[in-house]
Amino acid sequence: MDTRVLNYFLTVAKTGNVTKAANKLHITQPTLSRQISDLEKQLNITLFDRTNRHLRLTKAGTFFKKRAELILELVSQTEKDIHTQESELSGIIRIGCVESSASTWLMKIIKKMNHHFPNVQFDIYTANGDDLKEKLDQNSLDLALLLEPIEAKKYNYLPLPIHDTWGIITTKDDELSKKKAITTDDLSQIPLAISARSLVRNELAQLLDLNINKLKIIATHNLASNPLQLVKAHMTYLLGIDGILTLHHDPDLTFIPLIPKTTTSHIIAWKKNTYLSPLTKKFLKLISDELNQK
């Protein structure tokens, strides 16, 4: 399948109009229409709903759009990786990162890599573990900094000696801020914002012997930055790790650990049975050396 045609298709999908897309691509409208028609025949599907003047993707077209974007991204990354092998070490490392204290550590490693190899660039993507693992599976990321637990059968990984503690984040003027620790009974009596990840919830439930269904959950989230605003508005408490405040330091907020003490560890993961560029291998070597020194 010609990547040029994939680019034609994505341009039409973005503009919703063949004429506008043709102008943007600097080709004629009949040529572009013929290329899209040939693509549909090749795939034996209808990519666009042509019932009105503005082209809309069909269900099959929406699916194909995601795959076309992934294919072009992989082609582009492959070209960059080949260039990396044939010239001075340069290129892009695509790193996914959760919000935790370990991300601060990772940024220091990135700084070291930049010091040794100033031509290297970093594409840093912040998200929760589910999103990061999906992008690893799609080869949209080279590496990901994740909180445990993960499905170890799918990934290679390096364990990191960095641990975050679970607890609640609240305002310093809140009544609970005077407590040294939060019990499971406390959790069942207060409104909470909690991670949307079922894997995290199940892990907490098991460690704390806690019935998640009995909690008063006001909001779920994939990243903690916005729910922290609900905490500041005295609407809810954030059930999360202390590393969140390490990243989003706010003098009005405080962290109270859970009792019994509950911690989580970190890993650097990459997909099994996948090609690692020399650049990514060099970065992993830097991480490994740093861990061995400690």
Side-chain angles (χ1 to χ4, degrees):
M1 188 176 296
D2 194 338
T3 56
R4 175 177 53 89
V5 177
L6 293 182
N7 185 51
Y8 288 174
F9 161 73
L10 290 175
T11 305
V12 175
K14 183 177 181 180
T15 60
N17 184 281
V18 174
T19 301
K20 290 181 179 179
N23 290 335
K24 191 171 184 178
L25 293 165
H26 305 293
I27 61 176
T28 65
Q29 185 269 337
T31 298
L32 181 56
S33 296
R34 185 175 64 254
Q35 293 280 6
I36 298 300
S37 179
D38 290 345
L39 179 61
E40 289 180 315
K41 291 177 182 177
Q42 180 184 354
L43 298 171
N44 195 28
I45 59 173
T46 301
L47 296 170
F48 292 99
D49 181 357
R50 297 173 172 82
T51 56
N52 53 47
R53 295 180 63 184
H54 186 83
L55 295 181
R56 296 185 183 278
L57 288 169
T58 61
K59 185 176 181 179
T62 300
F63 174 80
F64 184 71
K65 176 176 178 290
K66 293 179 181 179
R67 291 300 174 91
E69 290 171 338
L70 181 59
I71 290 170
L72 292 181
E73 183 179 352
L74 288 174
V75 169
S76 175
Q77 187 62 37
T78 300
E79 291 173 349
K80 292 173 183 176
D81 290 344
I82 292 173
H83 173 73
T84 298
Q85 297 182 78
E86 296 178 348
S87 63
E88 181 182 356
L89 199 62
S90 63
I92 299 175
I93 303 177
R94 303 163 300 167
I95 303 177
C97 193
V98 295
E99 289 185 327
S100 75
S101 59
S103 61
T104 302
W105 175 87
L106 183 62
M107 296 308 114
K108 293 178 181 178
I109 302 298
I110 287 176
K111 182 179 179 181
K112 283 189 175 183
M113 185 75 174
N114 175 258
H115 175 74
H116 292 298
F117 306 102
N119 292 327
V120 174
Q121 297 179 358
F122 298 88
D123 182 1
I124 302 170
Y125 180 79
T126 306
N128 69 10
D130 290 340
D131 191 0
L132 295 178
K133 286 185 290 183
E134 181 180 354
K135 289 193 174 296
L136 275 180
D137 294 342
Q138 295 174 345
N139 295 313
S140 296
L141 290 175
D142 300 309
L143 304 168
L145 171 63
L146 300 168
L147 286 167
E148 291 193 300
I150 68 159
E151 300 87 353
K153 291 188 295 184
K154 296 176 65 176
Y155 307 103
N156 295 313
Y157 61 91
L158 290 174
L160 303 180
I162 304 170
H163 305 276
D164 277 358
T165 301
W166 280 92
I168 66 166
I169 297 173
T170 185
T171 56
K172 288 183 177 179
D173 60 359
D174 187 84
E175 187 69 23
L176 287 182
S177 67
K178 301 173 184 178
K179 301 193 68 165
K180 292 184 177 180
I182 296 295
T183 66
T184 53
D185 287 338
D186 291 327
L187 288 179
S188 64
Q189 298 175 38
I190 59 177
L192 291 169
I194 187 171
S195 169
R197 294 187 64 207
S198 59
L199 200 61
V200 171
R201 294 190 190 194
N202 294 338
E203 181 79 1
L204 275 177
Q206 183 176 356
L207 291 172
L208 298 172
D209 192 21
L210 182 67
N211 187 341
I212 296 292
N213 295 326
K214 290 187 176 181
L215 297 180
K216 186 180 179 182
I217 299 175
I218 300 297
T220 60
H221 62 85
N222 66 325
L223 294 175
S225 51
N226 285 318
L228 285 178
Q229 303 309 309
L230 298 180
V231 174
K232 294 184 70 172
H234 300 91
M235 176 180 168
T236 185
Y237 299 83
L238 181 64
L239 178 59
I241 53 177
D242 53 357
I244 292 172
L245 276 190
T246 302
L247 287 180
H248 303 284
H249 177 70
D250 190 312
D252 297 326
L253 299 177
T254 188
F255 176 83
I256 312 170
L258 294 177
I259 187 171
K261 185 176 180 181
T262 307
T263 62
T264 187
S265 53
H266 298 77
I267 61 170
I268 291 286
W270 61 99
K271 186 180 176 183
K272 284 185 176 179
N273 303 317
T274 191
Y275 169 76
L276 289 180
S277 70
L279 193 58
T280 303
K281 290 179 180 178
K282 183 69 70 173
F283 187 69
L284 282 172
K285 177 68 164 51
L286 189 62
I287 292 176
S288 181
D289 290 345
E290 181 75 12
L291 296 177
N292 289 335
Q293 288 177 10
K294 290 187 176 182

